[in-house]
Amino acid sequence: MADTAVLTTTPICRTCGTQYAAPRPDCPVCLDERQYVGPDGQQWTTLAELREEGHTGRFEEQGPGVLGIGVTPQFAIGQRALLLRTAAGNVLWDCTPYLDDTMVRAVEELGGIDHIAISHPHFYSSMVEWAHAFDAPVHLHEADRQWVGRPDPAVRFWSGRTLHLTDELTLINPGVHFPGSAILHWSAGEGALFTGDVVNVCPDNRWVTLMYSYANHIPERPHAVRAAAELLAEYRFERIYGAWWNRVVTSQGNEVLARSVARYLRFEQETVPGT
């Protein structure tokens, strides 16, 4: 395989990890109130520079049929992607800014990637690099079209509240964090929910939370939290996979989400249905 991914020179924001099609003076994702510009101002890098700095891929199992893929040392926001090995093929959930040919070969040995789906714009990162490396479409909600920094034919927009990727996998638009945010439900076995930080698994993994901005500590609107919880309650899931390494609710996922939302609304002094 030719060394193509690691030689890419399209710019990547050092603060959020978003890749853009061409050089620009600013990063719209970081200028938004949900994110921030770093203390040293707008800084850029490339995949080639990240390789030269010593970054490499990181692979760790995160659950049954779920492989975490990230980068070490940690870069930008620090999220890890998840490779779901399903009966209908492999799906990459969320994305990371870094990719090199060693990582490509490792994923190809596991069967490659058939679909890429991303929870929200903070994790769009280098999605087009991943799409090209594996000849896979990227599924994004059309409500967040404006945040795509590198438009490409591989990016496919969906609309509405749900999109069925396969018989087992459904994308859900809960309408929190970003208007086009997405959560992935895997119905196999006892069920699992993949949430990025649209629904954030807390360090105490008995709880999750929902925020408009995690970086700037802006709470999500209570009515939006309630609506999202009601939508997700239609699905059954034992496990909830968050955005960072080992942020996983390993049992009673529906109950964890329900009591976490009840706590959130109680602190927001909203009336919790049924109480």
Side-chain angles (χ1 to χ4, degrees):
M1 176 185 298
D3 237 14
T4 54
V6 294
L7 295 179
T8 301
T9 57
T10 45
I12 297 173
C13 173
R14 281 192 175 271
T15 300
C16 73
T18 300
Q19 186 183 57
Y20 290 89
R24 56 178 301 139
D26 58 8
C27 173
V29 171
C30 287
L31 290 174
D32 178 68
E33 65 182 355
R34 283 160 287 204
Q35 183 52 18
Y36 61 93
V37 177
D40 296 324
Q42 181 62 55
Q43 302 289 319
W44 298 100
T45 188
T46 66
L47 286 175
E49 288 179 0
L50 290 173
R51 180 185 62 170
E52 292 171 0
E53 292 169 5
H55 292 278
T56 59
R58 174 182 173 185
F59 295 80
E60 291 183 18
E61 295 290 337
Q62 294 289 278
V66 181
L67 178 68
I69 303 176
V71 57
T72 186
Q74 181 174 304
F75 172 71
I77 295 174
Q79 79 275 10
R80 52 99 173 94
L82 295 169
L83 185 69
L84 284 57
R85 288 163 283 178
T86 82
N90 291 346
V91 174
L92 186 72
W93 170 248
D94 277 336
C95 202
T96 66
Y98 186 71
L99 180 65
D100 62 29
D101 290 289
T102 300
M103 296 171 70
V104 172
R105 284 191 289 269
V107 173
E108 285 183 334
E109 289 174 359
L110 296 171
I113 296 172
D114 296 284
H115 296 276
I116 300 170
I118 302 178
S119 60
H120 69 292
H122 290 157
F123 297 163
Y124 287 178
S125 59
S126 295
M127 61 183 177
V128 173
E129 297 287 346
W130 287 83
H132 289 179
F134 297 99
D135 192 24
V138 181
H139 302 279
L140 307 179
H141 198 281
E142 67 174 6
D144 287 341
R145 182 188 294 262
Q146 73 183 88
W147 300 107
V148 175
R150 185 180 172 187
D152 190 87
V155 178
R156 301 180 184 177
F157 295 99
W158 60 282
S159 60
R161 283 300 188 190
T162 60
L163 173 70
H164 295 289
L165 283 182
T166 71
D167 289 342
E168 295 181 348
L169 296 172
T170 301
L171 284 168
I172 306 162
N173 169 229
V176 290
H177 196 32
F178 277 81
S181 62
I183 285 173
L184 182 65
H185 179 252
W186 191 2
S187 63
E190 296 179 318
L193 211 59
F194 299 82
T195 63
D197 65 359
V198 174
V199 173
N200 188 43
V201 177
C202 298
D204 178 351
N205 67 357
R206 297 174 299 170
W207 300 90
V208 298
T209 192
L210 298 89
M211 298 284 284
Y212 177 75
S213 169
Y214 293 94
N216 297 317
H217 309 293
I218 306 172
E220 185 53 270
R221 301 151 297 164
H223 75 270
V225 171
R226 182 186 294 107
E230 291 173 353
L231 177 62
L232 294 173
E234 299 175 12
Y235 300 85
R236 308 313 303 169
F237 46 91
E238 277 290 296
R239 301 172 72 90
I240 304 175
Y241 292 85
W244 287 275
W245 292 104
N246 303 313
R247 291 287 189 93
V248 181
V249 172
T250 57
S251 65
Q252 299 182 323
N254 284 96
E255 291 81 359
V256 168
L257 177 60
R259 71 167 178 260
S260 297
V261 168
R263 180 174 73 172
Y264 185 98
L265 296 177
R266 184 170 65 252
F267 274 86
E268 289 292 326
Q269 299 181 341
E270 290 278 326
T271 301
V272 180
T275 64

